[in-house]
Amino acid sequence: MAAPSPASKVSFSIHGVGVSSGIAIGHAHLVSHALLEVVHFQVPKALIADEITRFDKAVKTVKHDLETVRRLLPEKAPPELSAFISTHLMILQDHALSETPKQMIKSEGCNAEWALKQQMEDLVAQFEKFEDEYLRERKQDVIQVVERIIKVLLGHPSQVPLRSQESAIILVAHDLSPADAIQFKQHQFAAFITDVGGATSHTAILARSLNIPSIVALQRARTLVRDGELIIVDGNQGVVIVNPDKDTLAEYKLRQEQWEIEQQKLKRLKLTKAVTLDGTSIELHANIEVPEDVSHARAAGATGIGLYRTEFLFMNRREMPGEEEQFSAYRSVAEAMKDLPVTIRTLDLGADKEMNPDTARTCTNPALGLRAIRLCLSEPAIFLTQLRAILRASHYGKIKILIPMLSSITELRQTLALIERAKQSLDAEKAHYDKDIQVGGMIEIPAAALCAEAFARELDFLSIGTNDLIQYSLAIDRTDDTVSHLYNPLHPAVLQLVEMTIRAGNKLGKPVSVCGEMAGEAKLARLLLGFGLRQFSMHPSQILTVKRQILQSDLPLITPVARKILGTQDIDRVEPLLQKLNLQ
């Protein structure tokens, strides 16, 4: 890798979304972006059959590569890696990718790369109609599989070649697939950064599990950064500094050393109970997407699963998972957590009835459409299947049911009636389940927060989904880059809705947790404690950092400052007051 000439070194910074903490300093290595290299040309009729054969061979090669990667996974590799590779194999073998491009080659007389790219764009457009951010991010899986096929068609190497002194190399890519990330286990790259991706993308999930500093959603990093340039990746702040000057480099080297020392100290807190200085016990739970995530939750010392997102079971498939498949997944989590609580959120799909992109429906405003509990109530057969599976699994652990996106008491009562119907069907079969299973509701719509006391009266617990609550309160689409700077969890209106919900639950003796991104922000821990929150749920990688903050907090001291923050209507005063709170 050739370093740029000194005269061409211009220092600049790029801001993105930090998805895995830490600081890395190294030289950039640009990863090929095959999709940009695709051109369109006509294939003579006499060569159409050969073009289709070339496409089939490329698909077969990718299938072999992915199966090899999965087979050679190290024993200690993060468990979700195998699941991601299986997902990519399933996408690869889907008719939409393995057969439809061949029909296009035949009917349009185009080259294989072009046909595949056109089909990919059509599929991505359908994924973008999903209102759920997590599910919408799954379009990246399709793109990553297509890019892998195109690399083979273009004759590019399918694997990242070994390089010397890899610990000083930072990968700069438009996107990285799970298969690419798995190869990192064989390398020692310092970090990676990508143009696309979000906090819930597979790239982000893998980055956290591999403990590699990384930043996504940098927009044009791969275009702006040149091969061999010295860059700093600050995963804590979501900032990439290209060609840093001498003073900046020295400062970040010091920060890097301090960060590594802090991480070693944090590991000592795993077995320490989360108790404030005044003796108040706090529950720190984990958010998970797949059963295999339980190992990370337990490794971080989580005292329960506060949010099990069941959407993963329904994604990238044409048919809904059956009751037995769902039961097996829920039971495995309940048994793995033993006597610790497991909160399973019922289906939180988007505006489309099914995860099958072929049947996706158009919705003018997906975020306000038929999603979550609204969708489940409109599809009682699907909902009852899931409820039966959850209830049956409750016989094997301490399971709770969490209902997403409630907006009215009528909606809640309809849901409770369906839960009762599921119980009655199991009673008729003499099936075992926890007859006293607790049912809670997610407060993620301003209307629900304003009526939190009414919900608390009819539910066993509440869980605040801050991501959607902020989105709906401030009328900001988190996925829209043009307004993302307005997405602010410290907006006075948001804070009042959060506090109002916590107060309603505490008044009626009903537990309240926060399971959105706010719960995993260490700088917000004292504020939420001051509001009366006693249960947090977050990604396992964030638990120890939040626990440290809790161990250093004294409720009698911080509560008055938290109340002062709650009382301000001036958004510009909140941040200074928060800093004061964190200095208490």
Side-chain angles (χ1 to χ4, degrees), residues 90-91 93-98 100 119 123 126 313-321 354-359:
M90 187 168 62
I91 293 171
Q93 296 172 78
D94 192 283
H95 186 278
L97 280 189
S98 63
T100 303
Q119 176 64 1
L123 292 173
Q126 295 178 46
L313 274 171
F314 296 76
M315 58 177 273
N316 293 328
R317 57 195 301 170
R318 293 181 180 279
E319 75 290 340
M320 288 286 176
E354 300 176 340
M355 286 309 304
N356 181 355
D358 292 344
T359 62

Side-chain angles (χ1 to χ4, degrees), residues 267-425:
K267 290 179 180 176
R268 301 173 194 164
L269 299 179
K270 177 189 168 184
L271 300 177
T272 303
K273 290 186 177 180
V275 180
T276 59
L277 291 173
D278 58 291
T280 303
S281 294
I282 307 298
E283 293 292 331
L284 295 181
H285 293 179
N287 297 345
I288 65 169
E289 283 86 25
V290 294
E292 290 78 8
D293 287 342
V294 169
S295 60
H296 298 291
R298 294 195 69 95
T303 53
I305 301 300
L307 177 64
Y308 175 9
R309 307 180 66 180
T310 56
E311 292 78 46
F312 193 89
L313 274 171
F314 296 76
M315 58 177 273
N316 293 328
R317 57 195 301 170
R318 293 181 180 279
E319 75 290 340
M320 288 286 176
E323 181 178 321
E324 288 305 312
E325 182 180 349
Q326 294 186 58
F327 164 67
S328 177
Y330 307 151
R331 173 181 172 175
S332 67
V333 173
E335 290 181 331
M337 291 303 291
K338 299 183 178 176
D339 294 329
L340 296 176
V342 175
T343 304
I344 299 179
R345 185 176 70 183
T346 59
L347 201 53
D348 190 9
L349 288 181
D352 306 294
K353 268 188 172 182
E354 300 176 340
M355 286 309 304
N356 181 355
D358 292 344
T359 62
R361 297 180 304 177
T362 301
C363 182
T364 306
N365 194 335
L368 305 179
L370 190 64
R371 54 164 296 198
I373 192 59
R374 299 172 183 175
L375 173 61
C376 288
L377 291 175
S378 70
E379 297 282 358
I382 294 172
F383 194 30
L384 280 170
T385 298
Q386 184 178 41
L387 290 173
R388 280 176 53 91
I390 296 174
L391 287 168
R392 288 173 57 200
S394 69
H395 180 62
Y396 300 90
K398 194 175 178 182
I399 284 179
K400 302 178 183 180
I401 296 175
L402 180 60
I403 311 299
M405 205 180 164
L406 287 166
S407 61
S408 71
I409 294 298
T410 302
E411 210 169 44
L412 170 60
R413 288 171 181 163
Q414 290 173 344
T415 304
L416 295 176
L418 280 173
I419 293 174
E420 282 305 311
R421 193 194 300 179
K423 286 182 176 179
Q424 290 168 7
S425 68

Side-chain angles (χ1 to χ4, degrees), residues 452-454 456-457 462 499-512 532:
E453 195 168 316
R457 285 197 185 94
L462 302 178
E499 189 275 342
M500 184 183 296
T501 304
I502 296 171
R503 178 157 39 89
N506 290 343
K507 178 182 176 181
L508 297 174
K510 303 293 179 70
V512 180

